[in-house]
Amino acid sequence: MLFIGLLIVHVLTVILWFGGLAFVTIIIFPSLYKIEDIIQKSLSFQRVEHRFAKLARYYAATVGISGLAMAYMTGWHMILFTRQGLFLTIMFMIWVMWVVMLFGLEPFIIKKMLERMIKGEIPDVNLIFKRLNKMHWVLLSVSLIAAASGILFAHGYGAR
Ligand code: HEM
């Protein structure tokens, strides 16, 4: 009963998290490209990113806590980093990457860069936006790999 409750929380949070990431990547970025004014463009992105990064930190914590709790309840933590637990390990490592991004890099690198953009300190804002959009596509793809790994693991693919 507790396990299934944790699994429901785990999967629903994954849906909110990566659904939001997909929305930013596929819908928000193309609409930002249409804004001509550089300051307006940077401000609009800052508002979205600021709010979403904050939510994503909660999502990452919820997914991690529920995932680790399930792994400890079942003893699957023992097969992390073994061939048997390949798909569990992929899911775990992608989550670790997200924790580093959201708690380590985003508050320092992305936030500071956006502030510099708004102050007009960065000459080629459009190029930075293209790179940021690319980065979001990579993150979205990697995150979908984590979700696929979770499904494969949960349904008995890869020996366990
Ligand atoms: C980016 C992060 C993650 C994503 C996208 C993700 C996604 C998923 C998905 C889609 C499922 C499949 C549910 C199903 O088909 O029943 C799942 C199950 C699971 N995940 Fe994750 N997960 C993530 C992080 C983690 C972490 C950090 C752990 C901890 C080690 C973890 C442990 C588990 C466990 C134990 C299951 C249940 C397997 C089962 O029902 O047999 N996940 N995850």
Side-chain angles (χ1 to χ4, degrees), residues 7 17-18 24 28 38 40 43 50 57 63-64 72 83 85 95 103 121 124 129 146 149-150 155 157 160:
L7 185 57
W17 182 4
F18 298 131
V24 172
I28 301 287
I38 301 284
Q40 200 51 47
L43 269 172
H50 194 67
R57 281 192 273 273
V63 166
Y72 277 97
R83 220 194 74 80
W95 175 77
F103 293 90
E121 289 174 13
D124 200 346
F129 264 92
S149 302
H155 296 271
Y157 290 88
R160 79 170 185 211

Side-chain angles (χ1 to χ4, degrees), residues 12 31 141-142 149:
L12 293 187
S31 67
S141 311
V142 170
S149 302

Side-chain angles (χ1 to χ4, degrees), residues 3 7 10-11 14 17-18 63-71 74 76 80 88 91-96 98 143-144 146-155 160:
F3 182 90
L7 185 57
H10 193 73
V11 176
V14 163
W17 182 4
F18 298 131
V63 166
I65 291 166
S66 54
L68 287 167
M70 285 189 288
T74 48
W76 291 332
L80 265 176
L88 183 67
M91 195 162 46
F92 177 72
M93 289 312 292
I94 292 173
W95 175 77
V96 170
W98 266 112
S143 305
L144 293 178
S149 302
I151 295 165
L152 288 169
F153 182 73
H155 296 271
R160 79 170 185 211

Side-chain angles (χ1 to χ4, degrees), residues 2-98:
L2 177 60
F3 182 90
I4 196 71
L6 286 167
L7 185 57
I8 290 171
V9 170
H10 193 73
V11 176
L12 293 187
T13 312
V14 163
I15 291 172
L16 288 175
W17 182 4
F18 298 131
L21 177 64
F23 187 77
V24 172
T25 310
I26 300 167
I27 311 287
I28 301 287
F29 267 101
S31 67
L32 286 175
Y33 285 136
K34 297 207 174 80
I35 304 176
E36 300 245 323
D37 184 72
I38 301 284
I39 305 287
Q40 200 51 47
K41 194 199 285 270
S42 308
L43 269 172
S44 306
F45 181 66
Q46 192 195 36
R47 275 187 216 116
V48 173
E49 191 74 357
H50 194 67
R51 173 104 187 101
F52 187 64
K54 194 175 159 199
L55 279 174
R57 281 192 273 273
Y58 287 112
Y59 295 148
T62 309
V63 166
I65 291 166
S66 54
L68 287 167
M70 285 189 288
Y72 277 97
M73 277 174 73
T74 48
W76 291 332
H77 66 287
M78 303 289 281
I79 57 168
L80 265 176
F81 304 108
T82 66
R83 220 194 74 80
Q84 250 188 319
L86 174 70
F87 291 121
L88 183 67
T89 309
I90 294 174
M91 195 162 46
F92 177 72
M93 289 312 292
I94 292 173
W95 175 77
V96 170
M97 173 212 76
W98 266 112

